[in-house]
Amino acid sequence: MTTMLVKQATLETGFRYENGRVVATETAVRDVFVRDGKVEKIGESLTETADTVIDAGKNLLMPPMREMHIHVDKTYFSGPWKACIPITNGILTRIEEEEKLLPKQLPFALQRAEKMIEWLLSQGHTHIRSHCNVDPQIGTKHIELTLEAFSKFEGKLTYEVVAFPQHGLLRSNSEKLMREAMRKGATLVGGVDPATIDRDIERSLETTMDIAVEAGKGLDIHIHDGDSLGAFEFTKLAELAMQAGKTGQTTISHAIALGDLQGAELERMTTILRDAKIDVTSTIPINRPTIPVQYLQQHGVNVSLGHDSLTDHWSPYGTGDTIEKLSVLAERFRFMDEYSLNRTWQYATGGITPLDDTGNQVWPKEGDKADFLLIDAVCSAQAVARRKPITTVVFRGAVVSGNGEVKSDEQKGAGQHD
Ligand SMILES: [Zn+2]
């Protein structure tokens, strides 16, 4: 039996309205007592004795984040600086590059994966979904090393591993390897651009679905194909997901085409995705059309966020900082008011927020898992807009990153004026 007492944490308790509009977030300073990984009691000046006592110093208590699209198995992170080579043959440039690069990186891939997971945890992610190469050069070695890397973080976070035929399920003839990867412990079946890479949309998606059915697992497929081509692929995937009973277990990563569709076409596609309970993960790209995040969420298609890369042969720009990503999302869609900024947190957490849409406090409640972040911010709207730092990460009632010794600082007062 382990216990933790968090003293003096700021909780969001409601919205303040003026003339029918939200103008501020109401907060209260509270103590939170945790037993055996669950919130047992929330109150003022709790006196329970605990194994661990954290002085939150009025830091904001928020739900932790999920990194829903990353590749921990192929990264330059923690290695020497290296920029990307120029693209000369579209996405195939990178695939051809990987055939030589990944075998070369194998001796230190495990160590880099661990460094990356550690960094993502420090950035407040207590759940990570990593895609993991399955291809003729690497075989299932990356599945093994990714599972090994995550096993070192047992008790600190939860994770999912997507078997990812990056070089094309059909193109690289990786079907057998994919089935083997699922037997070795991958938790989701991946895929990539059935048109651009595999050149056979139906057979590619059908084979992917077959593997998922055989393994009894869900799917998460990279689809970068744009506009009507991407839309055709989404429709086909939705049909197959419905037929195979994979509704609610299918994700489209990137879903770039949703950033291209407009008006009635976007409405039609949103309905198809919603009915098949297909969710979408985005990196919130700013160098190509961004998918309409808020529209999708409001029309029943859940949107999650992922960094995809920190630094690797695909991109040198990733930070692993989801508060920054929320800020980019908010700025991209011109969220400037308290309410819009407050609501962005849902994209980082799978929908968990302290307040519901109308301002009722819904988290944390007694009995909830004791997973939370302490952030040096006065409210989540400020945390997002001003990109405020995470000071402590708690998972199941234990400090898993940060030292838990947050000092009350004078900037808190300054923050009140923002
Ligand atoms: Zn990816």
Side-chain angles (χ1 to χ4, degrees), residues 69 71 222 254 308:
H69 189 117
H71 298 253
H222 289 63
H254 305 300
D308 203 3

Side-chain angles (χ1 to χ4, degrees), residues 71-232:
H71 298 253
V72 302
D73 62 320
K74 44 179 185 181
T75 182
Y76 296 157
F77 186 72
S78 79
W81 158 249
K82 206 167 155 196
C84 300
I85 61 166
I87 292 176
T88 50
N89 190 20
I91 192 171
L92 294 177
T93 310
R94 297 286 175 245
I95 291 174
E96 284 157 14
E97 184 184 6
E98 286 198 352
E99 291 170 0
K100 296 197 175 71
L101 177 71
L102 296 187
K104 258 195 239 167
Q105 289 187 164
L106 255 185
F108 37 85
L110 173 65
Q111 188 196 359
R112 287 187 182 179
E114 287 172 23
K115 289 280 183 201
M116 202 166 179
I117 295 166
E118 191 181 359
W119 175 253
L120 291 170
L121 183 60
S122 76
Q123 298 303 301
H125 306 96
T126 57
H127 182 79
I128 299 173
R129 177 181 288 189
S130 182
H131 292 254
C132 184
N133 260 53
V134 174
D135 65 55
Q137 286 74 37
I138 287 302
T140 58
K141 290 193 189 88
H142 276 201
I143 295 283
E144 288 156 28
L145 76 86
T146 300
L147 289 168
E148 187 181 345
F150 277 120
S151 74
K152 301 194 178 170
F153 293 83
E154 289 294 347
K156 295 186 170 183
L157 47 75
T158 52
Y159 57 89
E160 299 167 281
V161 175
V162 188
F164 176 42
Q166 168 82 76
H167 301 180
L169 180 64
L170 306 181
R171 180 186 172 275
S172 67
N173 200 19
S174 291
E175 186 184 334
K176 258 173 92 177
L177 281 172
M178 283 290 290
R179 292 186 194 273
E180 190 186 328
M182 299 313 294
R183 286 194 294 274
K184 286 196 165 168
T187 59
L188 290 157
V189 178
V192 58
D193 294 336
T196 309
I197 307 289
D198 275 347
R199 319 292 289 181
D200 188 338
I201 295 171
E202 302 212 344
R203 196 156 73 86
S204 178
L205 288 176
E206 282 167 7
T207 310
T208 306
M209 193 60 76
D210 272 356
I211 297 170
V213 169
E214 181 186 275
K217 303 288 186 190
L219 306 94
D220 188 339
I221 303 184
H222 289 63
I223 303 185
H224 311 87
D225 292 328
D227 222 315
S228 55
L229 177 58
F232 179 80

Side-chain angles (χ1 to χ4, degrees), residues 75 99 117 146 216 244 258 261 275 313 332 350 373 382 384 412:
T75 182
E99 291 170 0
I117 295 166
T146 300
L258 292 173
L261 303 178
D275 290 350
H313 57 292
R332 164 68 184 78
L373 310 177
Q382 188 207 27
V384 169
K412 293 292 288 181

